[in-house]
Each structure stands twice: as C-alpha cells, then as structure tokens.
Amino acid sequence: MSLSTFSDDRPSGRPLGAMRGRPSLRRLWPSDGPAVHAFFLRLDSETRASRFMAAVGDRTAAAYAAQAMVAPGLIVGVFVDGTLRAIGELRPFGPGQADARRAEAALTVERGFRRAGLGLKLLRRLAEAARNRGLVELRLRCLPHNVAMRRLVAGLGAELRLSEGESEGAIRLPQPTPLSLWREGIEAALDFNLAVVTMPRSRSLPLPRLPPFRARAA
C-alpha cells in the first residue's frame, strides 16, 4: 500500500469562531450528546451506509451515537448556525501491541453540507491530534463507491486500495513538534471556551484533557 507523510505543520484552516452562516470546528464533549444523537438520526440511508459500511436503522444509529461520546479516542464536529453537520472520530485501531501506534479515522458529513471542505478540516484536525500523541499512522476505510472519501485521502497523498470488499488506506504521520503541540493546546482551550458559551446553563464540562489512548514506545 502506498503511504505518504501528512504535511508537517500545515495550517488547519480551522475557523475560530461561531459566526452565523460559517462552519465552526471544535472538539465535542459529553454535553454535546444530544447534538450527536440528533445528527446520526438525521442522516439519510445512503450516508449511514457509507459511515457504518452497511445499512442501519434508527435504533442502531441511536445506540452508536450514545456510545460514541464515551468510547476511547477523540471526536470533533463542525457546527453551522449552531447545528452539528459533520463529525470526525479518532479511535484506537486495535487492542494488540502491533496496533499501539496506529489509529483509525471516521468522517461523516451530512447531505447538503458536502463539497465545502468540511471533511478535509476534520481529517487535518484528527491527524494532528494523532501525531501529537505519538501515533505514526492514521487508517481510513470506506465503501468502494465512496468517491468523495477516495478523493479526500488521495489529496493528502495516500491511496485507498480495495481489500475484501472495502477500500482502505493509511496516512503516515510526522513526529510532533513544539509548534504542533502548542497549536493543539490553543485549539483545545478555544474548543472548551466555545463549548461553555454554547451549552445549556444547567450542564458543566470537564477540563480539556488528552484522549484515553496513548502510543506506546516503539
């Protein structure tokens, strides 16, 4: 499989505010659970099939949304006019020692909000989070007919290859730098402040912290 290095220290292009009509990307917190639940239930059947690699109903989508907020890893989202329209997930690739330095990314963009660069913004954010945790490879999977995902991954220099009815590929990640670590720290603080501003007054948020999975020494 052809692998490539994710560009070192490139700007994420991430919007830094919740301006009306413009996308706002931030980390999702437990208080965002209702928004995540509504997001997955709004997805049409084609988008759900692309995300879950199979047709799923409302019950399955709702069950996944509930566990997505507490599963190991990191989840980020794009809000447009205050409504969650796209989600990116960073999850441990596998339980074994051989998988300790790899992670898997999953992207979901609601129909009507595609072709606006949201998937690229999500993937860049997830890739930087992965590299800053010492991971060396970001894996992606999609259905063979998912042209948008294939183009997105190809645009970052990787290649999706067909394997057992699925297309899969990998993005090689550079080592973290002081700049990449600083940038993620600033983004985490901005994410937290924005989430506090937009959340209901009756709820509270934990302080920002790293996701529970960490890379082991090679």
Side-chain angles (χ1 to χ4, degrees):
M1 177 175 296
S2 176
L3 302 179
S4 70
T5 299
F6 192 83
S7 292
D8 196 10
D9 290 328
R10 93 168 80 182
S12 67
R14 173 174 176 261
L16 300 179
M19 296 180 65
R20 184 168 181 79
R22 294 183 57 190
S24 175
L25 191 162
R26 67 170 174 83
R27 178 177 174 177
L28 301 183
W29 306 87
S31 61
D32 293 306
V36 173
H37 180 270
F39 172 82
F40 279 107
L41 288 184
R42 278 198 312 272
L43 297 179
D44 61 274
S45 58
E46 181 270 333
T47 304
R48 286 186 188 177
S50 293
R51 170 61 186 84
F52 297 107
M53 314 294 282
V56 300
D58 287 351
R59 180 176 298 181
T60 300
Y64 181 83
Q67 66 86 29
M69 303 306 299
V70 297
L74 178 71
I75 182 168
V76 295
V78 177
F79 291 81
V80 180
D81 289 338
T83 300
L84 184 62
R85 298 299 187 180
I87 283 179
E89 300 170 65
L90 181 68
R91 306 296 184 188
F93 184 73
Q97 178 70 27
D99 298 320
R101 303 196 71 190
R102 294 190 290 174
E104 185 171 18
L107 308 177
T108 313
V109 181
E110 191 174 343
R111 185 183 293 275
F113 293 86
R114 299 170 188 167
R115 299 185 179 180
L118 301 187
L120 180 59
K121 292 177 187 296
L122 289 169
L123 186 55
R124 285 179 174 175
R125 177 72 184 270
L126 296 179
E128 182 155 277
R131 70 179 286 200
N132 285 342
R133 285 148 184 81
L135 304 181
V136 298
E137 187 176 271
L138 190 60
R139 309 280 298 187
L140 301 102
R141 296 185 303 138
C142 71
L143 294 174
H145 63 264
N146 192 338
V147 178
M149 177 64 81
R150 296 176 66 88
R151 288 176 177 171
L152 175 62
V153 175
L156 294 177
E159 181 180 355
L160 285 170
R161 299 284 184 86
L162 185 65
S163 176
E164 298 182 357
E166 298 179 358
S167 291
E168 61 177 8
I171 298 171
R172 293 292 297 177
L173 303 172
Q175 294 183 350
T177 65
L179 177 58
S180 70
L181 292 167
W182 172 84
R183 183 167 53 228
E184 187 182 3
I186 294 298
E187 289 183 327
L190 291 170
D191 290 347
F192 183 79
N193 290 335
L194 182 57
V196 169
V197 169
T198 58
M199 70 181 293
R201 293 181 180 273
S202 60
R203 295 178 180 171
S204 60
L205 289 175
L207 292 175
R209 62 179 183 177
L210 294 178
F213 71 99
R214 307 275 180 88
R216 302 185 181 93

